[in-house]
Amino acid sequence: MDSAIRLRGVTKTFGDMRAVDSLDLTVPTGGLYGFIGPNGAGKTTTIRMIMSILFPDSGEVAVLGRASALQAKDRIGYLPEERGLYRKMKVRPFLRYVGRLKGIDGPGLDRRISGWLERVGLPGIESKRCDELSKGMSQKVQFVSAVLHEPELLILDEPFSGLDPVSMRMLRSLILEEHARGTTILFSTHVMPQAEEICEHVVMVHKGRKVLDDSLPGIRSRFDPRSVQFEPLDPAADTRMLAAMQEVEDVAQGERGLEILLRTDTDPALAMRRIMAAVPAARIELSRPRLEDVFIGLVTDSASAADTDSLRAQLRDAATTGATA
Amino acid sequence: MKRIMQIALRDFVAVAMTKGFIIGLLIFPLILVLSGTLLPRLLDGSDFQIEGGYAIIDPTGAVLPELRLALDPEAIAERRFEQRRAALEQIPDSVRDVAQVDMARSMFEQLGPAPDVRLVELPPDADIEAEKAWLNGETDGLRHTALIVIHDDAVAAPGGELEFGTYDLYVAPNLDDRDLGFIHSSVQEAIVAARVARQSLDREAVEAVLRVSPPASITVGPDGEQRTLPGFNFLLPMGFMMLLFMGIMTGSGTMLTSTIEEKSSRVVEVLLSAVSPMQLMAGKLLGGVAISLVTMALYIGVGLVVLTSFSLFGLLDPWLIFYLMIFFLIGFFMVGSLMLAIGSAVNEMSEAQQLQMPLMLILMTPWLLWPVISRDPDSTLSIVASFLPLINVFGMLLRMASTQPPPLWQVWLSIGIGAASVVGAVWVAAKVFRIGLLMHGKPPNLRTLLRWVRMA
């Protein structure tokens, strides 16, 4: 099967700032890809180049088999990071306008609008003016404007920014529904836990460069942790012998209990059984690799400790709205 | 193309269906009509109450009796009637037809409220310096408004020569212009009457001898004859320039605001997901031109109706309207595309005003050049102005509407220069538009804009 998006060596500079640096990216048809990285990593710039809103200084872009998204705009749905509505327009005329710009017209258009508004839980708002909508409502209308023409490829730039938890959950299920319908989806976010919940595949960028491009299971096995979190049943128990066990490389005091690092060639299941036998456990669990840790691990060589902390804060903060990169 | 039309249609409807636009469209002709009908009535002096006390020092003894006669209400009415008749003679037939109603009004009606003037006679040897103090007082509620001092030789020149003296006038502060004019005209009338009597002349005969009514000239054109309309040949170019200016500014102004709105409400990138920036720009230009055309069609229509109803249509060369449209399109696409560029580069209207300044200054120059070009359409300045990009649309149209139209090759050279500058302006604007639409935050200065042009 052809790839829906294919970038080869794409580079874009603004003045003396290299926003995107020889980026390769392939999204196969039907894929659900997360495009993640902190603010300013080059996500929006890349997406705009995919959409032919910006053009790369060098490199190649192919979208849905065409050399430019301009030739396939009717088949692409795009929810930009900087999005809004005409304040004085009513919802139905606005959606009609966007629908016509995407090449759908006729009686089917109105049916689709009503159908979609119902799906996102906003039946009957067609005749409201856009400036009367709440923030969550306008976000939904914007999402409808991106999917109204039932695109083959859906590109969502920071779709969750500024959403409350309920709307976020709703949007997540809408995205998954679209994916189930066969739509290829690429969405960007700077909030890694969100990506972890939805994506099949993750592409990480940092300072315009790609630092990781792998499926979630692939990442999990590649960055398989050898770290066990352990809380003894008796807080006063003597845990010194753990460090002496042959499976254990190191023991450190963590925030909640001990962080036990296993040796590379150890079977974690066996090691955990032996630890529990040595000291009765209130809680013992194998650490799952979080994308955030993976990301920090990948970029940490080039970052100081202070940078690492601020990066970590940024990647967790769902409320931070992304700056234009 | 379908998409461009969709954008144009939305932009047109979003503007043309607002109350503000419709009111704005009608308000200009309304002001014209009002100022044409209401203003002369408001400024008509006949309703003004002339009142005051006049003190007069008359060493000749001949002026005072004549002044009493001149201040007689009937005499005043006659003078006003005569003035109006002379003014009406200058107006074209059709306009006069409407005004004839006034001519038929009785003398008494012409007068307005009767003047309330009291004359105080002072002895010929009165001390002028002392009498000046009188001006700041009043008698029975009537202000002392004027001290008139007739010169000794005002009526009879010494030695029988024809070098007459005149009079001095001292007035109270804050005196209305109409009061002042009335005092002058009354005193002058009285002095002339005294001189005529002194020379034993027949006043009516003298006036009849001096009066030659100027006939209206007849313009003889190839298609017929027409009374010449004074000022028409001077005002016509200005009318065309105003039409052109309003046409250009209406549409490009609405495009500027709609672009800023689309950018500040963040709807623009939603649009860019469906159309390219160039399609968006083309659609907006078409929507803007439609707005302008509606405006111009209305104003040109009103203008033609007025000209036809006063049977002045023959004075207008219909080709001028054709060229007006060509120069409008050139001017609109140039100014309009630059306005779009400005609108795309800024975040709000106040920022746009700064960037607009250079463009506005250029658009103001034709107003300064108008009197020069229409008086002397073949001067070097006029010719240069009709070839400079952007100014040329105004300059050439002014020359064409003037009394000495330029040769046709110059017109088409100017159109060619205009078309080339439209291509240039759209090219530059498109580059700024493409980048500016996505830029938020600090508004760019001119240098940044130039960098964008090189960058895109």
Side-chain angles (χ1 to χ4, degrees):
Chain A
M1 198 71 186
D2 272 348
S3 48
I5 299 174
R6 214 170 62 97
L7 304 188
R8 286 288 167 270
V10 166
T11 298
K12 179 77 185 173
T13 45
F14 294 113
D16 44 14
M17 209 252 305
R18 186 162 282 206
V20 176
D21 193 358
S22 39
L23 183 79
D24 293 332
L25 172 68
T26 306
V27 179
T29 304
L32 174 46
Y33 269 50
F35 192 41
I36 60 187
N39 291 332
K43 302 187 297 294
T44 296
T45 304
T46 306
I47 286 178
R48 283 177 174 170
M49 285 192 286
I50 294 171
M51 288 303 297
S52 289
I53 290 171
L54 292 177
F55 295 99
D57 299 335
S58 61
E60 281 170 40
V61 177
V63 183
L64 295 177
R66 305 298 179 94
S68 158
L70 293 176
Q71 295 157 10
K73 275 205 162 166
D74 291 352
R75 296 154 62 202
I76 308 173
Y78 173 45
L79 186 66
E81 182 185 7
E82 298 283 353
R83 51 188 179 255
L85 307 165
Y86 282 103
R87 282 184 274 257
K88 288 182 182 155
M89 227 169 162
K90 290 181 176 168
V91 172
R92 184 180 289 277
F94 172 74
L95 289 175
R96 256 191 216 145
Y97 176 51
V98 176
R100 284 189 186 129
L101 288 182
K102 302 245 167 131
I104 41 174
D105 206 347
L109 177 56
D110 269 348
R111 253 201 320 277
R112 276 197 213 195
I113 291 172
S114 307
W116 265 107
L117 287 177
E118 208 146 310
R119 265 182 85 182
V120 298
L122 296 174
I125 66 149
E126 291 96 326
S127 55
K128 277 204 173 185
R129 261 170 50 154
C130 291
D131 55 3
E132 293 171 30
L133 303 180
S134 72
K135 194 169 179 193
M137 287 161 115
S138 27
Q139 297 259 20
K140 286 176 188 170
V141 172
Q142 285 152 11
F143 180 79
V144 170
S145 77
V147 294
L148 194 60
H149 58 302
E150 293 178 358
E152 295 166 40
L153 169 63
L154 186 55
I155 297 177
L156 310 164
D157 195 359
E158 298 279 359
F160 300 106
S161 75
L163 284 191
D164 62 84
V166 178
S167 306
M168 214 181 272
R169 206 159 18 220
M170 166 160 220
L171 184 56
R172 196 162 57 216
S173 65
L174 283 171
I175 292 173
L176 291 175
E177 274 173 46
E178 283 300 295
H179 180 234
R181 201 171 57 80
T183 311
T184 310
I185 294 174
L186 172 69
F187 82 93
S188 83
T189 179
H190 67 283
V191 185
M192 306 247 172
Q194 288 170 351
E196 245 165 333
E197 283 178 44
I198 310 181
C199 301
E200 292 171 344
H201 195 105
V202 166
V203 176
M204 282 184 186
V205 283
H206 182 58
K207 294 184 175 164
R209 287 181 160 277
K210 186 165 79 175
V211 291
L212 178 69
D213 184 349
D214 205 347
S215 67
L216 263 191
I219 291 171
R220 287 197 177 122
S221 67
R222 196 136 66 97
F223 296 88
D224 188 19
R226 294 166 295 123
S227 167
V228 171
Q229 293 183 14
F230 179 73
E231 238 177 285
L233 196 56
D234 172 11
D238 182 9
T239 53
R240 273 173 303 177
M241 82 278 270
L242 294 178
M245 288 169 64
Q246 63 174 34
E247 292 89 349
V248 173
E249 190 171 294
D250 186 31
V251 177
Q253 187 66 43
E255 279 171 41
R256 295 167 54 211
L258 300 174
E259 299 263 349
I260 302 170
L261 189 65
L262 307 179
R263 285 185 199 283
T264 32
D265 50 354
T266 321
D267 173 13
L270 185 68
M272 282 163 82
R273 262 205 305 278
R274 289 190 42 128
I275 291 168
M276 279 192 290
V279 181
R283 182 178 71 92
I284 180 163
E285 77 184 61
L286 192 64
S287 294
R288 306 266 291 170
R290 289 180 307 171
L291 282 180
E292 183 189 313
D293 297 319
V294 172
F295 181 81
I296 300 282
L298 284 169
V299 304
T300 205
D301 323 338
S302 56
S304 72
D307 285 347
T308 310
D309 286 346
S310 75
L311 207 57
R312 204 177 270 281
Q314 222 185 82
L315 299 177
R316 280 182 200 165
D317 180 12
T320 311
T321 42
T324 310
Chain B
M1 196 60 205
K2 214 172 135 194
R3 266 156 233 223
I4 296 176
M5 293 315 290
Q6 284 291 341
I7 293 166
L9 186 69
R10 196 217 76 90
D11 272 24
F12 178 76
V13 170
V15 173
M17 294 299 151
T18 56
K19 280 183 223 120
F21 177 74
I22 295 170
I23 293 171
L25 201 60
L26 298 180
I27 206 142
F28 185 72
L30 204 69
I31 287 175
L32 271 189
V33 169
L34 281 184
S35 58
T37 57
L38 217 59
L39 214 59
R41 280 173 200 281
L42 288 177
L43 292 179
D44 187 358
S46 62
D47 286 341
F48 182 70
Q49 170 78 54
I50 305 262
E51 56 180 17
Y54 302 168
I56 178 164
I57 300 173
D58 179 18
T60 68
V63 177
L64 182 62
E66 295 294 347
L67 187 57
R68 280 193 208 285
L69 284 178
L71 290 177
D72 178 72
E74 224 168 88
I76 293 169
E78 202 168 332
R79 281 214 305 278
R80 282 187 183 163
F81 183 83
E82 190 55 35
Q83 277 168 7
R84 190 166 302 219
R85 200 185 55 78
L88 281 173
E89 255 173 21
Q90 298 293 322
I91 300 174
D93 296 336
S94 38
V95 179
R96 207 167 40 193
D97 287 343
V98 185
Q100 283 291 339
V101 185
D102 269 0
M103 297 277 281
R105 275 162 67 185
S106 72
M107 297 282 260
F108 187 72
E109 262 183 282
Q110 295 288 336
L111 176 62
D116 183 4
V117 175
R118 232 162 287 169
L119 271 181
V120 178
E121 188 183 351
L122 299 175
D125 55 353
D127 177 11
I128 295 170
E129 288 310 311
E131 296 301 337
K132 280 180 187 168
W134 176 83
L135 280 173
N136 287 311
E138 55 172 62
T139 314
D140 303 337
L142 204 60
R143 273 177 77 198
H144 299 159
T145 48
L147 171 62
I148 304 158
V149 181
I150 309 290
H151 292 186
D152 289 335
D153 53 355
V155 174
E161 287 179 28
L162 291 174
E163 290 274 325
F164 294 103
T166 176
Y167 61 99
D168 294 321
L169 181 63
Y170 305 95
V171 294
N174 301 327
L175 195 64
D176 193 288
D177 273 354
R178 286 166 290 190
D179 269 313
L180 195 63
F182 177 78
I183 297 167
H184 274 302
S185 68
S186 304
V187 175
Q188 282 161 8
E189 166 71 23
I191 291 177
V192 168
R195 286 175 189 169
V196 167
R198 163 104 190 165
Q199 308 261 339
S200 312
L201 299 169
D202 177 358
R203 172 79 189 265
E204 273 183 38
V206 171
E207 272 177 12
V209 165
L210 288 177
R211 185 166 57 230
V212 180
S213 314
S217 58
I218 308 290
T219 303
V220 182
D223 307 324
E225 298 184 2
Q226 184 104 40
R227 269 179 72 119
T228 311
L229 189 63
F232 183 81
N233 288 330
F234 190 64
L235 289 174
L236 181 75
M238 177 163 110
F240 269 87
M241 196 171 78
M242 272 180 59
L243 266 178
L244 183 59
F245 187 78
M246 278 191 311
I248 291 174
M249 293 316 288
T250 315
S252 52
T254 59
M255 285 193 311
L256 177 72
T257 41
S258 82
T259 308
I260 293 176
E261 194 215 329
E262 276 163 7
K263 204 182 149 184
S264 67
S265 68
R266 305 288 200 262
V267 82
V268 69
E269 208 171 335
V270 176
L271 300 181
L272 289 183
S273 72
V275 296
S276 71
M278 290 311 96
Q279 284 173 316
L280 182 61
M281 188 167 150
K284 297 192 83 62
L285 278 172
L286 280 185
V289 88
I291 296 275
S292 280
L293 284 176
V294 167
T295 315
M296 286 183 79
L298 182 84
Y299 292 165
I300 292 177
V302 168
L304 290 183
V305 166
V306 169
L307 284 182
T308 315
S309 66
F310 289 137
S311 43
L312 295 173
F313 187 70
L315 292 179
L316 183 71
D317 180 2
W319 276 100
L320 270 183
I321 296 182
F322 169 76
Y323 284 108
L324 169 69
M325 293 324 287
I326 289 192
F327 283 117
F328 157 70
L329 289 176
I330 291 174
F332 175 85
F333 282 113
M334 215 170 147
V335 175
S337 59
L338 294 177
M339 288 286 208
L340 277 181
I342 291 170
S344 71
V346 300
N347 309 293
E348 50 187 272
M349 204 61 201
S350 58
E351 293 167 3
Q353 270 151 6
Q354 271 183 16
L355 285 177
Q356 256 181 303
M357 270 297 281
L359 191 58
M360 283 307 175
L361 285 179
I362 296 175
L363 286 173
M364 281 296 125
T365 46
W367 296 95
L368 302 176
L369 292 177
W370 159 60
V372 185
I373 296 179
S374 49
R375 279 285 177 235
D376 199 356
D378 281 334
S379 69
T380 315
L381 180 69
S382 307
I383 292 174
V384 169
S386 59
F387 291 118
L388 285 180
L390 192 53
I391 296 176
N392 69 339
V393 293
F394 297 99
M396 190 47 93
L397 197 67
L398 277 175
R399 287 180 68 195
M400 294 178 75
S402 76
T403 47
Q404 294 147 275
L408 206 58
W409 69 265
Q410 287 197 5
V411 175
W412 283 98
L413 177 62
S414 180
I415 290 175
I417 291 173
S421 21
V422 165
V423 172
V426 170
W427 183 79
V428 167
K431 301 204 152 204
V432 174
F433 190 74
R434 175 190 291 281
I435 296 181
L437 281 181
L438 303 173
M439 292 283 180
H440 295 283
K442 190 172 154 284
N445 51 24
L446 275 178
R447 212 167 64 204
T448 320
L449 287 186
L450 287 179
R451 216 184 62 224
W452 289 359
V453 172
R454 283 202 305 269
M455 199 161 94

